[in-house]
Amino acid sequence: MILNYAKGPFIKNVPTIPSMMRDVIFTLSVLLIIPIVQYGVRPLVMAVCTMFVSVICEIIFNLIQGNKIGAGDGSSLVTGLMIVMLMPVNAPIWLPCMAAVFAVIVAKMPFGAFGHTPFNPAAAGVAFAALCYPHLVFRYIDSSAKNLPAFGDCTGDIVSSTAAVLKNGLKPSILPLDMLWGAFEGPLGTTGILIICAGGLYLFIKRTANWEITAAFLAAALIIAAFWPRIECSMITSVKYELLSGSLLFCSVFMVTDPVTSPRTKPAKIAYGFICGVLVMVFRRFGAFEQGACFALLIANALAPQIDVIFSGSFETGDVLYEK
Amino acid sequence: MKFRHGVQGVKLDQQKELSLKHKIKNLPMADELPLKPNFNLNGKKDYNYILNAAQKSQIVDEFDGIPLDKKLKKLRGLKPNMIVACCFDEDPWTTSAMAVLREYTAEVISGLEYAAKACGIKERKIAVATKEEAKFIKSINSEAELILAGDRYPARVLLKKKLYSQNIKAFYIGAQACLALDSAVKEGKVQQDTVVTVAGRGVERWSNVKVPLGTELKTVLKFCGVSDKTKMIITGSSLTGKAVLDLTEPVTPSTRCIIAIKKAKKDISYPCIGCEKCASACVRSIVPWKILKVMKNKKPDPLMLTNVQKCIGCQACSVVCPSGIDLAEVVKKAADLKKSGDFE
């Protein structure tokens, strides 16, 4: 036998970057099942096209820069899939693809690709699409429509989502408990509430995502929804409507917990989640669009390094952080 | 502000069941090798007698490679509160200490008593890894006083820290050293063999083998059925051990395991994602991701490299990093830089 020489630990690391990405992709694909059953094959086509476009963009950028070509870690796939989840079903196919091109080529690759992004690329892509074509991103088809065409435009009754109704100050006609089953209008991946909760639990148990950030985020949203409701109703009803409508729950589980863009030390993570929750509720009340989760997330990402410094000392002076 | 981390250390996938299934096997060629002659000592079995016996029998502690008589003399001077027989393996592939305790329980207990007598220490305990193991040992021999070490890696350091926080200064003695001391004091035997675990995907029969000291590694591997497709042989420990290129190297008392690997680990490494797993895995309060960030500069500032000189080289940070960065190497380089004084 021919023996090799190697150094260092000889055991395979158990959480690796590809395995963490695989967990997230698995959870997001499970979230795609109910829309496929309800609307036909269109959600699957949108997802596949967007993921394909984001991987192609990363490979082209690497070719232009002369780097090693590869999308070996699945981070582009995760970006593409998350962008699709925040779009309505009846959006034209080119819309999430355009958002993915912006997300990869402007918000991810110039900063240094995976591991060095200061802003969440998926949030940046969705924010870009929302600012350029708000009438396409926030227009939802009636949820009882079946068998939508895979590539063409959808014709059907246009209804406003729960989040839009709340923004206008009216009480939505659907009951909060009925919203749990996911048969109402909203972005593609955010209506399956129970599946999001189950997926979140899976990610927390596997330690792919930190549960502290999600808990702080939801706590902030809960407090503001309870004490400053947007509609005339009891506290509990306001909390239920606010937490179950729009992309708040989806963002809290999948996008806020991204380890690259969130702060590193534990108290800073909790503060970051809390600030992000406050910002989301502020955007919902005073912003121009019915959902402000992506914009709030981008602002919180900009604040993340400073929150880290406040809690664990400035990097320049080298304070000792930890005592055991 | 100062903050404390949660539980320290790393939980690793244990691969211990297969090698503990059967009893300790004897190498068949052992009868042909010449035995070292016994020695004779007269007198009462007091501490001088035990120290002399330890010196004449040339026992070496298998965990740190220190000769036992030197260790006992040092402990006699230091006077710690407790002496602990280390009968657990923190390495996930090694089971030699556990197997020795299971089969030679009475001898290990009496060897530990002799060692405690030689150092003049009253409190003695046997350390095992888990509650199930403790139950098993108690069912074999109910005299043993056991203490739990836990199954997080690196368990030796964590147990010492736990005892220190209870104001007990404890020192370790290896299980096989206790066994050899017992036969040295009672029968005057020189330490002639050691138990090694042979494991890994490149070996057919994972087992604990009693090997005479000085046997070549290839003899032991052939006995356990090593396959030709093996790419790497590792001795010592699967985390801090070294890869062996020449199979005619002899077995020493500190070769606690021989692991044959068929598929080498992939060498891809991604950038740091800031998940903080390395800082919670470190037992010595080092923050490896910060050290990595500082060492990337052209002129790293040594004042920012806090605590790097305390590193014990357990490699827990490298194992737990999702990006596959070799953090132990970075911390070692930082410690060398700090020690060299090569900065303005």
Side-chain angles (χ1 to χ4, degrees), chain A residues 1-18 20 72-73 112 114-116 206-208 210 259-267 269 308 310-324, chain B residues 1-5 8 12-13 92-93 226-228 230-234 237-239 241 243-245 247 261 265 270-277 279 282 285 287 289-290 293-294 304 306 315 318-324 329:
Chain A
M1 56 185 121
I2 304 172
L3 292 177
N4 299 335
Y5 180 76
K7 234 178 23 145
F10 304 100
I11 303 185
K12 215 169 78 144
N13 296 19
V14 167
T16 56
I17 301 279
M20 286 163 82
D73 54 77
F114 177 67
H116 302 287
K206 270 205 122 181
R207 307 255 169 192
T208 306
N210 289 41
V260 182
T261 46
S262 55
R264 302 195 170 185
T265 52
K266 198 160 280 195
K269 279 181 182 159
D308 220 353
I310 289 176
F311 280 96
S312 58
S314 166
F315 192 65
E316 277 78 34
T317 54
D319 294 351
V320 174
L321 323 167
Y322 304 102
E323 186 184 271
K324 295 202 180 170
Chain B
M1 293 195 237
K2 295 204 196 282
F3 305 103
R4 289 194 64 222
H5 268 298
Q8 297 162 30
L12 293 171
D13 255 344
W93 297 77
V226 68
S227 101
D228 269 335
T230 312
K231 296 258 170 54
M232 243 192 316
I233 304 273
I234 296 159
S237 150
S238 62
L239 286 138
V244 165
L245 291 175
L247 282 182
I261 294 186
K265 205 171 75 158
Y270 300 101
C272 171
I273 60 171
C275 60
E276 278 257 299
K277 285 188 174 141
C282 182
S285 328
V287 186
W289 59 264
K290 246 199 179 188
K293 211 166 169 184
V294 173
M304 311 254 275
T306 45
Q315 310 264 352
S318 306
V319 165
V320 87
C321 177
S323 308
E329 176 76 29

Side-chain angles (χ1 to χ4, degrees), chain B residues 20-34:
Chain B
L20 281 177
K21 246 197 216 170
H22 306 283
K23 296 214 169 251
I24 300 180
K25 301 184 188 163
N26 286 318
L27 205 59
M29 284 76 83
D31 305 327
E32 300 166 0
L33 290 172

Side-chain angles (χ1 to χ4, degrees), chain A:
Chain A
M1 56 185 121
I2 304 172
L3 292 177
N4 299 335
Y5 180 76
K7 234 178 23 145
F10 304 100
I11 303 185
K12 215 169 78 144
N13 296 19
V14 167
T16 56
I17 301 279
S19 82
M20 286 163 82
M21 294 293 156
R22 250 176 273 148
D23 287 338
V24 178
I25 292 179
F26 170 69
T27 318
L28 287 173
S29 328
V30 168
L31 200 53
L32 208 55
I33 291 180
I34 288 193
I36 294 181
V37 163
Q38 216 176 351
Y39 296 119
V41 84
R42 189 186 174 94
L44 187 63
V45 167
M46 283 170 78
V48 169
C49 286
T50 318
M51 290 205 284
F52 183 69
V53 164
S54 39
V55 172
I56 292 282
C57 283
E58 178 162 358
I59 292 179
I60 289 178
F61 201 91
N62 278 333
L63 270 175
I64 294 176
Q65 269 203 328
N67 292 342
K68 203 168 57 163
I69 301 169
D73 54 77
S75 54
S76 299
L77 293 172
V78 171
T79 306
L81 205 46
M82 279 211 259
I83 289 177
V84 162
M85 292 298 182
L86 292 171
M87 297 277 164
V89 173
N90 51 321
I93 301 273
W94 52 264
L95 189 62
C97 296
M98 185 191 75
V101 167
F102 181 83
V104 173
I105 288 197
V106 175
K108 185 172 154 205
M109 300 307 286
F111 292 102
F114 177 67
H116 302 287
T117 51
F119 296 105
N120 194 333
V126 172
F128 176 70
L131 285 174
C132 292
Y133 297 99
H135 53 279
L136 287 179
V137 173
F138 295 118
R139 176 178 80 153
Y140 303 98
I141 204 168
D142 193 7
S143 59
S144 56
K146 303 242 181 284
N147 283 328
L148 297 175
F151 284 102
D153 295 329
C154 303
T155 52
D157 305 327
I158 302 292
V159 289
S160 21
S161 75
T162 336
V165 172
L166 280 176
K167 188 152 177 69
N168 291 333
L170 305 167
K171 195 165 168 178
S173 55
I174 187 170
L175 288 175
L177 274 181
D178 287 340
M179 287 173 83
L180 280 181
W181 309 121
F184 62 99
E185 301 81 32
L188 186 55
T190 62
T191 50
I193 308 279
L194 289 175
I195 303 184
I196 296 180
C197 295
L201 205 63
Y202 172 69
L203 289 178
F204 298 151
I205 290 179
K206 270 205 122 181
R207 307 255 169 192
T208 306
N210 289 41
W211 62 272
E212 290 104 2
I213 307 182
T214 307
F217 185 98
L218 290 175
L222 205 138
I223 292 176
I224 294 190
F227 291 111
W228 289 277
R230 285 195 278 176
I231 52 179
E232 296 283 330
C233 62
S234 68
M235 263 174 36
I236 304 248
T237 321
S238 164
V239 163
K240 280 192 231 173
Y241 274 129
E242 294 280 1
L243 285 187
L244 296 178
S245 70
S247 54
L248 192 136
L249 203 59
F250 181 86
C251 274
S252 75
V253 168
F254 291 101
M255 298 177 86
V256 179
T257 54
D258 181 25
V260 182
T261 46
S262 55
R264 302 195 170 185
T265 52
K266 198 160 280 195
K269 279 181 182 159
I270 299 177
Y272 167 80
F274 200 82
I275 289 177
C276 203
V278 167
L279 279 171
V280 167
M281 300 308 283
V282 165
F283 263 99
R284 276 191 163 188
R285 186 178 282 254
F286 302 112
F289 304 121
E290 64 198 47
Q291 289 161 36
C294 295
F295 306 107
L297 188 60
L298 289 174
I299 293 184
N301 282 340
L303 292 174
Q306 202 58 34
I307 301 176
D308 220 353
V309 163
I310 289 176
F311 280 96
S312 58
S314 166
F315 192 65
E316 277 78 34
T317 54
D319 294 351
V320 174
L321 323 167
Y322 304 102
E323 186 184 271
K324 295 202 180 170

Side-chain angles (χ1 to χ4, degrees), chain B residues 3-294:
Chain B
F3 305 103
R4 289 194 64 222
H5 268 298
V7 190
Q8 297 162 30
V10 181
K11 215 171 181 127
L12 293 171
D13 255 344
Q14 306 290 332
Q15 311 268 356
K16 297 198 175 163
E17 291 166 357
L18 278 181
S19 44
L20 281 177
K21 246 197 216 170
H22 306 283
K23 296 214 169 251
I24 300 180
K25 301 184 188 163
N26 286 318
L27 205 59
M29 284 76 83
D31 305 327
E32 300 166 0
L33 290 172
L35 288 172
K36 292 191 202 155
N38 295 359
F39 54 90
N40 264 332
L41 281 179
N42 292 325
K44 211 175 79 155
K45 292 201 167 101
D46 62 344
Y47 74 91
N48 261 324
Y49 182 90
I50 300 174
L51 285 175
N52 272 334
Q55 188 191 16
K56 284 227 161 78
S57 56
Q58 299 161 19
I59 305 176
V60 174
D61 190 317
E62 71 264 17
F63 282 96
D64 32 28
I66 305 176
L68 191 64
D69 58 325
K70 278 206 189 120
K71 199 174 200 178
L72 290 176
K73 282 189 188 132
K74 184 177 97 166
L75 289 182
R76 202 177 165 81
L78 279 176
K79 286 261 181 280
N81 307 65
M82 195 196 276
I83 191 167
V84 178
C86 183
C87 299
F88 61 91
D89 303 278
E90 55 189 13
D91 183 51
W93 297 77
T94 313
T95 52
S96 46
M98 285 166 73
V100 160
L101 180 65
R102 280 185 183 191
E103 285 194 35
Y104 300 104
T105 322
E107 286 92 341
V108 170
I109 295 176
S110 102
L112 182 64
E113 280 194 23
Y114 285 134
K117 213 181 193 178
C119 311
I121 305 171
K122 290 222 181 72
E123 284 246 21
R124 59 192 81 102
K125 296 261 165 128
I126 297 189
V128 288
T130 53
K131 277 195 204 154
E132 290 87 16
E133 186 71 18
K135 259 196 229 167
F136 191 77
I137 301 291
K138 277 271 184 193
S139 67
I140 300 178
N141 186 329
S142 56
E143 291 185 350
E145 288 174 23
L146 300 172
I147 190 173
L148 287 180
D151 55 357
R152 292 185 86 91
Y153 177 83
R156 267 169 70 99
V157 181
L158 288 173
L159 178 62
K160 222 171 171 177
K161 265 185 135 173
K162 191 170 95 166
L163 290 174
Y164 192 73
S165 69
Q166 296 167 2
N167 284 327
I168 303 174
K169 253 187 3 181
F171 277 88
Y172 283 119
I173 291 211
Q176 299 191 41
C178 291
L179 183 63
L181 183 65
D182 177 63
S183 62
V185 168
K186 283 194 180 141
E187 299 156 27
K189 279 198 183 150
V190 179
Q191 187 184 33
Q192 302 201 15
D193 41 34
T194 176
V195 175
V196 286
T197 310
V198 185
R201 307 247 180 269
V203 164
E204 271 176 33
R205 299 175 287 276
W206 297 21
S207 46
N208 285 305
V209 189
K210 197 170 203 179
V211 173
L213 291 173
T215 319
E216 292 181 348
L217 286 175
K218 61 180 177 202
T219 324
V220 186
L221 284 170
K222 214 163 129 189
F223 174 64
C224 294
V226 68
S227 101
D228 269 335
K229 298 197 195 136
T230 312
K231 296 258 170 54
M232 243 192 316
I233 304 273
I234 296 159
T235 59
S237 150
S238 62
L239 286 138
T240 56
K242 60 179 185 57
V244 165
L245 291 175
D246 180 14
L247 282 182
T248 54
E249 273 189 28
V251 168
T252 62
S254 33
T255 311
R256 295 178 47 232
C257 66
I258 305 174
I259 304 176
I261 294 186
K262 252 186 178 168
K263 215 164 69 162
K265 205 171 75 158
K266 278 193 221 167
D267 212 4
I268 309 175
S269 81
Y270 300 101
C272 171
I273 60 171
C275 60
E276 278 257 299
K277 285 188 174 141
C278 52
S280 24
C282 182
V283 209
R284 301 289 270 168
S285 328
I286 306 175
V287 186
W289 59 264
K290 246 199 179 188
I291 308 289
L292 182 71
K293 211 166 169 184
V294 173

